[in-house]
Amino acid sequence: MRQVKAWWALPCALACALVLGGCSSMKLPSLSSLPFTSPPPAADAGTFFDDFSHGDTAALARAGWIIRDKKGHPGIEGANWGPGTITLVPDPADASNRLLRLRARTDGTPEGTSHAQLCQARKFYEGTYAARIRFNDKPLIGPDGDVVVETFYVVSPLRFDFDPEYSELDWEYLPNGGWGNSKTRIYGVTWQTVSLHPWKAYNQPHESFRSVEGWHVLMMQVAAGKTRFYLDGVQLDEHGGRNYPAVPMSLNFNLWFSPGGLLPNEKAQRVYEQDVDWVFHARNRLLSPAEVSAEVEKLREARTSFKDSVPAMNPPLASTCDF
């Protein structure tokens, strides 16, 4: 956990300044001026790794994963979440490997729409995050053009609008555009806080306007008030300042349709898929892309399909799948 005071421990006036960017006369320290280093890890600071070789979703649950089944934000209001949206499938490129598959579908109606979300325990904070993911530009079936969001992220629940404890770091792929821009792009976004109704976001995005269809390794380094985003070993951006997590977060993948982004007057079934090969987290350690690759390869060579030595929170914290 970072050594600066958490927002919820600060006086109300200062907390409001941090959340809303107000009180311009108040001199606040700049977290982005801190060196991008982390303290030396303990003998086992904690590692999380899953290559999704589980036999079924019951085994996935025993590994601490939660398949979301509660309706609500984000996505199409009234849409379904739950069983059937998350599966474990053979890797068509490697018979010895298995993949996590997220599937979202819509017929243009809320009751005919289902989104997919998978959450881990809420206990992740600083360190290195990485995942190997296959993005898709087009639906598996049906006409193309819906605004669909394909993701990998860590997040804490938004308990209320402008929640000062809200924390989120995420990758979002928008093959059909969205958020007021029709261009295909991948986002790396760090969040300070947000209001849902009406929508008002305090965040820092990076946008790469290009297709990233196919397999890619997405990575985030998080320490000392800064977050760095890497795609296939290349650093895309560095964020800092107030857009930095304040509390432990859950590890998530989801696939969903944006409100207002469905094809108009289209009732044909559309199905989108996103696959995940593996996910990795090194707690309180900053690893380079090459070091992440080496650690994942070492785990796989040792036939370690799942490892979780990241300490649990006591008491446990509710993840976004619990809300």
Side-chain angles (χ1 to χ4, degrees), residues 19-317:
V19 173
L20 301 178
C23 305
S24 58
S25 62
M26 186 177 295
K27 187 70 173 179
L28 298 176
S30 172
L31 288 177
S32 61
S33 66
L34 297 174
F36 195 64
T37 59
S38 60
D44 182 6
T47 297
F48 182 89
F49 173 72
D50 199 336
D51 76 353
F52 299 109
S53 294
H54 310 283
D56 53 28
T57 54
L60 199 65
R62 290 193 292 272
W65 293 102
I66 303 169
I67 298 175
R68 174 177 171 174
D69 60 6
K70 295 179 175 61
K71 294 184 178 182
H73 177 82
I76 305 301
E77 186 175 357
N80 298 301
W81 304 75
T85 60
I86 303 289
T87 55
L88 295 153
V89 300
D91 183 348
D94 181 355
S96 66
N97 191 39
R98 288 173 68 78
L99 306 172
L100 173 75
R101 176 161 293 168
L102 294 83
R103 176 174 285 191
R105 65 175 67 240
T106 188
D107 62 3
T109 67
E111 60 273 14
T113 299
S114 60
H115 301 136
Q117 181 169 333
L118 189 70
C119 310
Q120 255 294 332
R122 191 175 149 212
K123 60 178 182 177
F124 300 93
Y125 193 63
E126 293 179 317
T128 304
Y129 298 87
R132 183 171 184 258
I133 298 174
R134 181 173 68 89
F135 293 125
N136 286 297
D137 282 354
K138 294 179 173 59
L140 183 68
I141 62 171
D144 191 14
D146 294 301
V147 176
V148 64
V149 187
E150 307 173 31
T151 75
F152 163 50
Y153 63 109
V154 286
V155 67
S156 69
L158 181 72
R159 301 168 301 166
F160 47 83
D161 286 347
F162 299 127
D163 182 354
E165 293 186 26
Y166 181 66
S167 301
E168 182 175 0
L169 311 169
D170 63 348
W171 286 98
E172 296 183 358
Y173 182 48
L174 304 171
N176 292 322
W179 319 147
N181 189 320
S182 62
K183 292 182 180 179
T184 296
R185 63 199 186 277
I186 188 164
Y187 265 126
V189 191
T190 56
W191 291 77
Q192 179 189 0
T193 191
V194 65
S195 165
L196 298 181
H197 305 293
W199 176 261
K200 180 67 174 178
Y202 292 85
N203 59 24
Q204 182 178 355
H206 169 82
E207 300 177 87
S208 289
F209 291 92
R210 56 190 168 105
S211 169
V212 291
E213 185 172 41
W215 285 104
H216 298 277
V217 175
L218 288 74
M219 188 177 119
M220 296 180 289
Q221 293 175 331
V222 185
K226 298 180 183 180
T227 301
R228 286 176 177 164
F229 289 88
Y230 293 80
L231 179 65
D232 297 326
V234 177
Q235 183 179 334
L236 300 185
D237 208 358
E238 177 180 298
H239 298 175
R242 298 171 184 171
N243 299 292
Y244 191 77
V247 296
M249 299 165 288
S250 62
L251 185 65
N252 296 254
F253 300 94
N254 70 5
L255 179 62
W256 50 282
F257 297 101
S258 175
L262 296 182
L263 291 169
N265 305 314
E266 180 58 68
K267 300 302 181 184
Q269 187 81 202
R270 289 93 78 190
V271 177
Y272 283 83
E273 290 183 344
Q274 173 184 330
D275 290 343
V276 184
D277 187 13
W278 52 260
V279 62
F280 172 87
H281 172 63
R283 177 177 176 265
N284 293 345
R285 290 190 293 151
L286 297 185
L287 303 181
S288 69
E291 289 171 328
V292 168
S293 179
E295 291 220 9
V296 170
E297 185 64 27
K298 183 178 178 181
L299 286 161
R300 287 190 137 176
E301 286 179 351
R303 299 186 181 277
T304 304
S305 59
F306 178 78
K307 178 179 180 178
D308 184 6
S309 58
V310 176
M313 300 300 296
N314 186 18
L317 299 174

